[in-house]
C-alpha cells in the first residue's frame, strides 16, 4: 500500500478539488476504502475519539466513602469504646467502619459501571462505504480516507471534505458559535487561508447536518479534528442527582436532626439515671448511626441503574437518570404512527393512473407480483405496454434513495433505506422496470422532509436535457401539478379531475392505505442553484399497506387501564391515520382527526381547552407537535412524545419524556431525547412506563423498610429509657443490626418485580413526596410493632432474671434482628400478602433473608462471637419467645392487609386487587 499523507498535509483539503483529496488519501468514491487498509490507517492516525480526562483513581473513590458524617460519628464511637478500655468494641466498630466503606464503594462502582455501559450503548454511529457497500459502524472506527454518507439530522462524525452535496446546510454553532446553519457546496475549491467558518466544502466533527444530503471523504479523525484542537480533554460525564435523589437527601438531613434530638434525649435520661457517661454516650452514638439511613443514596442509585438495565432488555434506552422517575408518572403518550404503531413494512397494493386502477399482488418485499385491473381481477397486464403505468414506475424507481436486496436464500428480501421507498422499488421491479445505472444520472436531489412531505430527483436524459421526478403526500403534489398524464398524453389537470383524484385517494386512505402521489416534468425550472417543484405533471397515486403492530393493541389497552392517554400524531393522511387509530382503539368510532391545518386555525387557549378530546392528529409538522406537547403540559399532564426527524427535536426537548426512534431516528433527535427506543415500537414505551412505576415503587419500598426498622430501634431505646429499663441493645449490637440485617434485604427489595396491578393504577402525581402522610404513619406503625415485640421480649427475660441483663439483651437483640428480617418479606407490598406474591418470586430477597438470618444466628450461637457482641447463649424457652415475637410484627401486618382489603381500604387501583398468577411474578 502506498504511503499515507501525514496529518499536516490533510488539513488543507478544502484547497483542493474533492477527487484530488480522495486520490491523495488512496480511497475511491465508488467503493470506499478496502477493509485491508483500515488497520494501517488506524495505526497511523489512531481511533476517531477525543481524549478523555483520566477517571478518578480507585483509592480516591474509596477514601471518599469516609467523608460521611455517620462514619465520623462511628469513629468517635470507636474512640469512646477504646477510652473505656473496651478494645474488642473498638476493633469491632472499626471493622464495621471499613466494611461499611467497602460496601458503599462496591455499590457506587456497580451503579457507575451500569451507567457507563448504558452510555456506551448510545455511542454515535456513522454510515461509511467500505469494500463497495455501505455499512453503519461506530463513529469511533472511522479512519481518514473513509467515504461517509450524511443525511439531514446526522452528526458529522469526523472532519471531512465534501464530494457530493445536495442542498446541504450545517449547524456549526458548537465550533464557530454561528447559530444559523450555513450552506455547503462540494464543488467549491477554496484559498488556503480561508478561515474555518467559511470552509464551505468541508464538514467538521461535532457539527450537525441540518438539511440536505452529502457524501464526503474523511480527512481528519479524533484529536486531529478541528474539534479535537479546541476541545482538549473531555471531562468525564458527571451524574447529576435526580430529583428523587435530591428529595431523599433532603429527607435524610431532616431525619439526622430528628434522630440526633431523640438520641440526645435518650442519652440525657440514661445519664440522669446514673448511667456511666462513656457507656451511655457510646450507646447514644451507635443509635444515632443506626437511625440515620446513610445507605439510602447508594441503594437508590443501584435501584435506578438496575431499572435502566431492565429497560434496555425491553428495548428502551434511558439516557438520563431522572427520566426513570418521570416515566412512572407519565399520563399522556403522544406517538408517531408509521413504524411505532405500525410495522413499517410497506407493500404497495393499489396504483391509480390516468388510464385505470390496478391492484398489485405479492407479499412483503419479494419483487414478484402482478398488475391486475381493479374491474378485471382475474387478468393481469404488463406495465411495459401501458405508458401511464410505465411512467408511474419510472417516478417510483428514480425518485428513490432506497434499495431492495435479496436475503440469504432469495426467499425474503430486505429494504436498505426508507421502507416507503423500498415498497415503491419493489413495485417497479414487479412491473419489470430496469433500474441499472440510474444513480449515475442523478444531478440533483431535493431530499424528503416531513414538513415539506415531498421529494424530488433531477436526472440527466441521454439527450442531456433534465427531467424531474417528484413524489409525496397527494395534496402537496397535486397543489404543484398543472397537468396530468393520460394514455401517454399530457393534458391539463381540470378541477373535475382533481376532485376525482382526491376522491380516489381518500377512498384508499379510508381503507388504512398510505397514499403517495407521483409526478414529473421535463426541464425543471431553476432559481440559482435550486430546482423548483412547480408546474408538475401528475402521473398517479399509490396505496400501500402498513399493518398495525400486533402487540400494540394490548399495549394501548394497557395504557387505558393505567390512566395513560395514548395519542397519535402523524404526518400521514387523516383518514389513514383514523383507520389505524380505530383499529388500535386509540380513537373511538366517532372520533375525528385534527389536521395540522386545523391546528393552525386554533388559538393556544382553544387548543389547551380541546386537547383532551383529540386522539389523532394528522398531516402535522414538527411545529404542531410542539404545540400539542405544550397544551398538554399546560393542563398539568406529564407528556411523553416520540419523534424521529431533525425538526422533532424541539418537541422532544419540551416533552417531559422525549423519545427518539433508535432505528429510524436522526442523531439530533436521539441527542435531544430522554429515552431511545431500540426497536421503534410503541409497546416498548408502555413497558418503560411499567418499569418506571416499578422502580419508583421499589425505591418507596426499601425507603419504607429502612425507615421503619430504624424507627423501631429508636422507639425501643426510647421506650426502655422512659420506662426505666436498662439499655436493651448495646452499641455494637445496634451497629450489627444496621449493617447486616438492614443492608442486604434493602438491596434485595430494590430488585422486587413490579406488583401485578402496577398498570391498573392511576399514574403517580409527579410532585407526590416519597413519604406521604399516609406512608409516614404506616412507617411509624410498623416501627412501633417491631419495637413493641423487642421490648416485650426484653421485659419478659428481664422479669425472669433481673440480675442477668445479658440474657434480656440477647433476647431483644435476636428479636429486633429476626423481626426486621421477617418484616422485609412482608414489606414487598403494602396490599398483597406474602402467600399472594409467592415467597420465592423475589429470589434475591429470599437469599438476603437466609444469609442475614444465618449470620444473625451465628452471632447469637457461636462462642467466639459472644465476646464481641456481648451475647449469651439462650435456652429453649427464650428461643421460643424469640421465635414467636419475631414473627409477630410481620403477622400483624399481613393480617392488617387482609382486613384492609376486606374493608375496601387502601385499594388504590381502579379495579381493586388484581388476581395474582400462581407464582406471583408477572
Ligand atoms: P409518522 O409521522 O407517523 O411517522 P409518516 O411517515 O406518514 O407518519 P412523515 O414521514 O412525516 O410521516 O411523512 C409525511 C407524508 O409524507 C407521508 O404521509 C407521505 O405522504 C409522504 N412521504 C413519506 N415518505 C416519503 C418519501 N420518502 N418521499 C416522499 N414523500 C413521502
Amino acid at each position: 500500500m502506498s504511503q499515507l499523507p501525514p496529518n499536516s498535509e490533510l488539513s488543507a483539503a478544502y484547497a483542493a478539488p474533492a477527487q484530488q483529496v480522495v486520490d491523495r488519501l488512496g480511497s475511491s468514491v465508488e467503493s470506499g476504502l478496502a477493509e485491508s487498509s483500515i488497520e494501517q490507517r488506524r495505526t497511523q492516525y489512531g481511533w476517531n475519539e477525543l481524549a478523555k480526562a483520566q477517571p478518578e483513581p480507585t483509592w480516591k473513590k474509596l477514601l471518599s466513602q469516609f467523608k460521611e458524617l455517620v462514619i465520623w460519628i462511628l469513629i468517635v464511637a470507636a474512640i469512646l469504646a477504646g477510652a473505656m478500655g473496651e478494645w474488642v468494641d473498638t476493633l469491632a466498630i472499626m471493622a464495621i467502619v471499613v466494611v461499611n466503606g467497602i460496601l458503599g464503594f462496591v455499590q457506587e462502582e456497580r451503579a457507575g459501571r451500569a451507567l457507563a455501559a448504558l452510555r456506551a450503548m448510545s455511542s454515535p454511529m456513522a454510515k461509511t462505504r467500505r469494500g463497495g457497500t455501505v455499512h453503519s459502524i461506530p463513529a469511533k472506527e472511522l479512519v481518514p480516507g473513509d467515504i461517509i454518507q450524511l443525511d439531514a439530522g446526522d452528526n458529522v462524525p469526523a472532519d471531512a471534505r465534501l464530494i457530493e452535496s445536495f442542498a446541504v446546510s450545517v449547524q456549526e454553532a458548537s465550533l464557530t458559535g454561528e447559530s444559523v446553519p450555513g450552506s455547503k457546496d462540494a464543488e467549491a475549491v477554496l484559498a488556503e487561508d480561508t478561515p474555518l467558518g467559511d470552509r464551505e466544502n468541508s464538514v467538521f466533527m461535532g457539527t450537525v447536518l441540518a438539511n440536505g444530503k452529502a457524501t464526503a471523504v474523511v480527512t481528519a479523525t479524533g484529536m486531529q479534528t478541528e474539534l479535537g484542537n479546541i476541545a482538549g480533554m473531555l471531562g468525564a460525564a458527571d451524574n447529576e442527582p435526580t430529583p428523587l435523589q435530591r428529595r431523599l437527601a433532603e429527607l435524610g438531613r431532616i431525619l439526622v436532626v430528628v434522630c440526633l434530638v431523640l438520641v440526645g434525649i435518650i442519652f440525657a435520661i440514661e445519664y440522669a439515671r446514673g448511667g456511666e457517661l462513656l457507656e451511655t454516650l457510646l450507646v447514644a452514638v451507635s443509635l444515632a448511626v443506626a437511625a440515620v439511613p446513610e445507605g439510602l443514596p447508594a441503594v437508590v442509585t443501584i435501584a435506578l441503574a438496575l431499572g435502566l438495565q431492565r429497560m434496555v432488555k425491553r428495548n428502551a434506552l434511558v439516557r438520563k437518570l431522572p427520566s426513570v422517575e418521570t416515566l412512572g408518572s407519565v399520563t399522556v403518550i403522544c406517538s408517531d404512527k408509521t413504524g411505532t404503531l405500525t410495522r413499517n413494512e410497506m407493500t404497495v397494493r393499489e396504483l391509480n393512473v390516468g388510464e385505470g386502477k390496478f391492484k398489485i399482488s405479492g407479499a412483503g418485499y419479494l419483487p414478484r407480483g402482478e398488475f391486475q385491473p381493479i374491474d378485471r381481477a382475474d387478468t393481469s397486464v404488463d406495465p411495459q405496454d401501458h405508458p401511464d403505468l410505465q411512467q408511474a414506475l419510472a417516478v417510483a424507481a428514480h425518485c428513490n434513495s432506497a434499495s431492495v436486496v435479496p436475503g440469504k436464500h432469495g426467499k425474503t428480501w430486505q429494504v436498505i433505506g426508507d421502507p416507503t421507498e423500498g415498497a415503491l422499488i419493489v413495485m417497479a421491479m414487479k412491473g419489470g422496470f430496469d433500474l441499472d445505472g440510474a444513480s449515475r444520472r442523478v444531478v440533483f436531489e431535493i431530499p424528503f422532509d416531513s414538513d415539506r412531505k415531498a421529494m424530488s430527483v433531477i436526472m440527466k436524459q441521454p439527450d442531456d436535457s433534465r427531467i424531474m421526478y417528484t413524489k409525496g403526500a397527494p395534496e402537496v403534489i397535486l397543489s404543484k401539478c398543472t397537468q396530468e398524464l393520460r394514455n401517454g398524453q399530457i393534458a391539463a389537470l381540470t378541477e373535475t379531475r382533481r376532485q376525482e383524484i382526491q376522491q380516489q385517494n381518500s377512498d384508499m386512505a379510508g381503507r388504512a392505505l398510505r397514499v403517495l402521489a407521483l409526478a414529473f416534468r421535463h426541464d425543471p425550472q431553476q432559481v440559482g442553484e435550486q430546482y423548483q417543484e412547480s408546474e408538475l405533471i401528475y402521473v398517479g397515486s399509490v396505496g400501500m399497506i402498513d399493518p398495525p403492530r400486533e402487540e400494540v393493541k394490548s399495549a394501548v389497552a394497557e395504557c387505558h387501564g393505567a390512566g395513560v392517554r395514548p395519542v397519535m400524531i402523524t404526518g400521514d393522511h387523516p383518514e389513514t391515520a383514523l383507520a389505524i387509530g380505530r383499529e388500535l382503539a386509540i380513537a373511538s368510532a366517532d372520533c375525528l382527526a385534527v389536521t395540522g391545518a386545523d391546528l393552525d386555525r386554533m388559538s393556544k387557549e382553544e387548543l389547551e381547552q380541546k386537547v383532551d378530546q383529540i386522539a389523532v392528529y394528522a398531516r402535522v409538522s414538527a411545529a404542531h407537535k410542539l404545540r400539542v406537547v405544550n397544551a398538554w403540559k399546560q393542563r398539568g399532564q406529564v407528556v411523553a412524545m416520540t419523534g424521529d426527524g431533525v425538526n422533532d427535536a424541539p418537541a422532544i426537548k419540551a416533552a417531559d419524556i422525549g423519545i427518539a426512534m433508535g432505528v429510524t431516528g436522526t442523531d439530533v433527535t436521539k441527542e435531544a431525547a430522554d429515552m431511545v427506543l431500540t426497536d421503534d415500537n410503541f409497546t416498548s414505551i408502555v413497558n418503560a412506563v411499567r418499569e418506571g412505576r416499578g422502580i419508583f415503587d421499589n425505591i418507596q419500598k426499601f425507603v419504607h423498610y429502612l425507615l421503619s426498622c430504624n424507627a423501631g430501634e429508636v422507639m425501643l431505646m426510647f421506650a426502655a429509657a422512659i420506662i426505666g429499663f436498662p439499655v436493651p441493645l448495646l452499641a455494637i449490637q445496634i451497629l450489627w443490626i444496621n449493617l447486616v440485617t438492614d443492608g442486604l434485604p434493602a438491596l434485595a427489595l430494590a430488585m422486587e418485580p413490579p406488583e401485578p396491578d402496577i398498570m391498573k393504577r392511576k399514574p403517580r402525581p409527579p410532585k407526590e413526596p416519597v413519604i406521604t402522610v399516609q406512608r409516614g404513619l404506616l412507617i411509624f406503625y410498623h416501627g412501633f410493632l417491631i419495637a413493641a415485640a423487642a421490648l416485650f421480649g426484653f421485659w419478659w427475660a428481664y422479669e425472669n432474671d433481673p440480675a442477668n441483663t445479658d440474657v434480656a439483651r440477647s433476647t431483644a437483640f435476636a428479636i429486633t434482628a429476626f423481626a426486621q428480617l421477617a418484616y422485609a418479606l412482608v414489606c414487598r407490598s403494602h396490599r398483597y400478602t406474602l402467600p399472594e406474591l409467592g415467597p420465592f418470586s423475589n429470589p434475591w430477597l429470599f437469599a438476603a433473608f437466609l444469609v442475614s438470618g444465618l449470620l444473625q444466628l451465628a452471632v447469637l450461637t457461636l462462642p467466639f462471637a459472644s465476646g464481641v457482641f456481648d451475647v449469651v447463649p439462650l435456652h429453649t424457652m427464650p428461643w421460643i419467645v424469640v421465635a414467636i415475637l419475631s414473627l409477630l410484627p410481620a403477622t400483624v401486618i399481613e393480617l392488617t392487609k387482609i382486613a384492609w382489603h376486606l374493608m375496601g381500604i387502601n385499594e388504590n387501583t381502579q379495579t381493586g386487587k388484581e388476581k395474582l398468577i400462581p407464582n406471583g411474578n408477572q
Side-chain angles (χ1 to χ4, degrees), residues 550-603:
E550 251 337 290
E551 64 281 17
V552 166
K553 227 176 196 168
S554 54
V556 168
E558 198 171 358
C559 280
H560 288 307
V564 177
R565 265 291 290 274
V567 175
M568 180 197 288
I569 306 192
T570 174
D572 213 337
H573 192 280
E575 294 192 42
T576 316
L578 262 185
I580 300 274
R582 288 190 184 129
E583 202 171 327
L584 291 172
I586 289 178
S588 57
D590 54 349
C591 171
L592 289 182
V594 169
T595 63
D598 297 334
L599 278 178
D600 288 336
R601 283 189 292 272
M602 266 187 219
S603 69

Side-chain angles (χ1 to χ4, degrees), residues 57-76:
T58 309
W59 63 266
K60 247 189 178 168
K61 282 196 239 168
L62 196 57
L63 262 194
S64 72
Q65 296 296 326
F66 298 94
K67 282 195 312 223
E68 301 276 325
L69 174 72
V70 195
I71 298 290
W72 286 104
I73 302 180
L74 270 176
I75 292 174
V76 170

Side-chain angles (χ1 to χ4, degrees), residues 671-864:
E671 262 157 40
D674 302 296
M675 181 166 105
V676 179
L677 297 183
T678 48
D679 64 348
D680 291 10
N681 191 337
F682 178 81
T683 315
S684 304
I685 309 178
V686 181
N687 288 340
V689 170
R690 188 189 308 109
E691 279 296 344
R693 288 185 177 196
I695 292 169
F696 194 86
D697 253 22
N698 286 356
I699 291 178
Q700 248 175 353
K701 280 172 195 169
F702 65 67
V703 170
H704 186 117
Y705 172 72
L706 282 178
L707 294 189
S708 312
C709 291
N710 293 354
E713 288 156 29
V714 176
M715 277 190 240
L716 169 68
M717 300 294 276
F718 201 72
I722 291 191
I723 298 170
F725 283 162
V727 181
L729 292 177
L730 292 175
I732 190 76
Q733 296 170 342
I734 297 175
L735 293 175
W736 170 257
I737 292 176
N738 192 38
L739 183 74
V740 179
T741 55
D742 284 9
L744 284 181
L747 259 183
L749 275 172
M751 322 247 193
E752 185 63 23
E755 281 183 35
D757 63 357
I758 199 148
M759 287 301 267
K760 294 267 158 56
R761 303 180 203 158
K762 290 241 178 318
R764 179 182 61 84
K767 296 230 161 63
E768 186 184 274
V770 190
I771 309 292
T772 54
V773 175
Q774 192 196 10
R775 189 171 286 278
L777 290 174
L778 217 53
I779 288 175
F780 187 82
Y781 169 55
H782 293 169
F784 169 79
L785 289 176
I786 295 172
L791 192 67
F792 188 76
F794 183 82
W795 169 79
W796 175 82
Y798 186 59
E799 281 293 293
N800 274 348
D801 188 2
N804 197 349
T805 40
D806 277 352
V807 175
R809 272 196 195 120
S810 302
T811 311
F813 179 42
I815 295 173
T816 312
F818 288 131
Q820 290 186 0
L821 290 180
Y823 171 59
L825 297 180
V826 301
C827 230
R828 294 177 51 194
S829 167
H830 292 304
R831 292 178 313 108
Y832 291 104
T833 59
L834 186 61
E836 280 175 316
L837 287 171
F840 308 114
S841 54
N842 180 354
W844 296 103
L845 185 61
F846 192 71
F849 175 78
L850 281 185
V851 171
S852 298
L854 286 175
L855 281 171
Q856 179 65 18
L857 208 58
V859 162
L860 285 167
T861 51
L862 295 182
F864 78 88

